[in-house]
Amino acid sequence: MGSAITGWGEALPDHVVTNDDFAARLDTSDEWIVARTGIRQRRMGGTTSELAIDAGRAALKVADLDGADIDLLVLATTTPDQTIPATSSAVHDALGCRGGAFDLNAACAGFVYALVTADSLLHAGHHRALVIGSETLSKVTDQDDRSTAVLFGDGAAAIVLEAGARDELVLAYDLGVDGAATPLLYADHGGYIHMEGREVFRRAVRAELESIENVLSRAGVRPDDIALFVPHQANVRIIEAVNQRVGLSMERTALVLERTGNTSAASIPLALAEAADAGRVAEGDLVLLSGFGAGMTWASAVIRWGRRGLPR
Ligand code: ACO
């Protein structure tokens, strides 16, 4: 028995912060931010649970399911509402889900970690999982520090996974971490994000390249076989560097960071949900997901889009 993505949805706060909003009060400019990152605006506001609940509801609607149909909830986040309990508890309650729920923190690679974990649990006997990436990074970013403030935004996106499909959803995956790189990117309890941007950039390109090569080879597919690439949305220059080296075209790449900034664990599902809404993926298409983040973590997966064999 395989599994399939049957629903997807997103939630972005209403409040838009443009590059010019930063330039009005910090020593920066729209030109610098666009040229160095590709980001033009980001959303800020809400809590991680509120955004996750809205995204989860939207994904359930597309799947034509109720919360009670879900028997597993995995919330990928680095910005939980509280230290205790897990933010997924509030999301589980608000959506009326059944079964278990837990938070998963693998930074910007968190959504792919969560997808792989949930899919494995479907193979272990669960029926339907809601996998959400939700972040409120504006809470942990010093809004007066131009080197980080302009990069991060808030948002959430979710997918519904269902067991019982004819095809396997995950053809191959690659998860990794280099804990020795922790000092390059961290936020202490109650503190703000500290990032060695240039070094993180360098390592991000290297980690993503290796991870993508691993996962393509494990799946036995070539870059040309990939219909849609959904990378972590941190910096368009990282995405371009990876694409050029792997041989993936920007036309087949899902991008939202221009409008959202870096939303960590929410960035890959946001780009995936928008691509799915735009009809950029069809039954049987191969989709490559790849992210990297604090830890430093990385995660890639080749998945097959479509719901062949599902009863409904
Ligand atoms: N506006 C204007 N100037 C700026 C700004 C800004 N917003 N931010 C930094 N600068 C200045 C710096 O102070 C520096 O000035 P100096 O040369 O006088 O010292 C100059 O610009 C160049 O700084 P660099 O850091 O070398 O610039 P770079 O081209 O590397 O771009 C950036 C910085 C955008 C942060 C880039 O390094 C990057 O994207 N790194 C990767 C970040 C990332 O991918 N993080 C992902 C993980 S996030 C997570 O896990 C939560």
Side-chain angles (χ1 to χ4, degrees), residues 296-311:
M296 287 190 65
T297 54
W298 59 87
S300 302
V302 175
I303 63 172
R304 189 182 298 282
W305 194 260
R307 43 190 306 161
R308 277 188 297 190
L310 278 175

Side-chain angles (χ1 to χ4, degrees), residues 168-252:
E168 289 294 342
L169 173 68
V170 180
L171 271 63
Y173 67 87
D174 177 60
L175 307 180
V177 63
D178 174 10
T182 301
L184 297 176
L185 178 51
Y186 63 87
D188 288 321
H189 284 302
Y192 291 132
I193 292 176
H194 165 91
M195 183 170 71
E196 309 281 335
R198 208 175 291 184
E199 186 58 16
V200 170
F201 190 112
R202 209 176 59 79
R203 290 181 188 231
V205 173
R206 200 172 63 199
E208 223 177 304
L209 275 175
E210 277 181 25
S211 185
I212 288 172
E213 273 163 20
N214 279 343
V215 85
L216 291 179
S217 122
R218 280 175 204 163
V221 300
R222 291 168 297 118
D224 281 352
D225 299 324
I226 299 297
L228 184 73
F229 175 38
V230 189
H232 171 47
Q233 317 273 313
N235 187 321
V236 76
R237 287 159 52 219
I238 295 177
I239 297 170
E240 286 167 351
V242 168
N243 280 21
Q244 198 187 7
R245 290 182 176 94
V246 177
L248 291 159
S249 74
M250 290 303 278
E251 290 70 42
R252 283 184 287 140

Side-chain angles (χ1 to χ4, degrees), residues 66-99:
D66 292 323
D69 297 316
I70 298 294
D71 59 3
L72 175 70
L73 192 154
V74 187
L75 174 63
T77 187
T78 53
T79 47
D81 288 349
Q82 296 164 285
T83 306
I84 298 171
T87 302
S88 52
S89 298
V91 179
H92 187 275
D93 180 52
L95 295 177
C97 300
R98 294 180 300 112

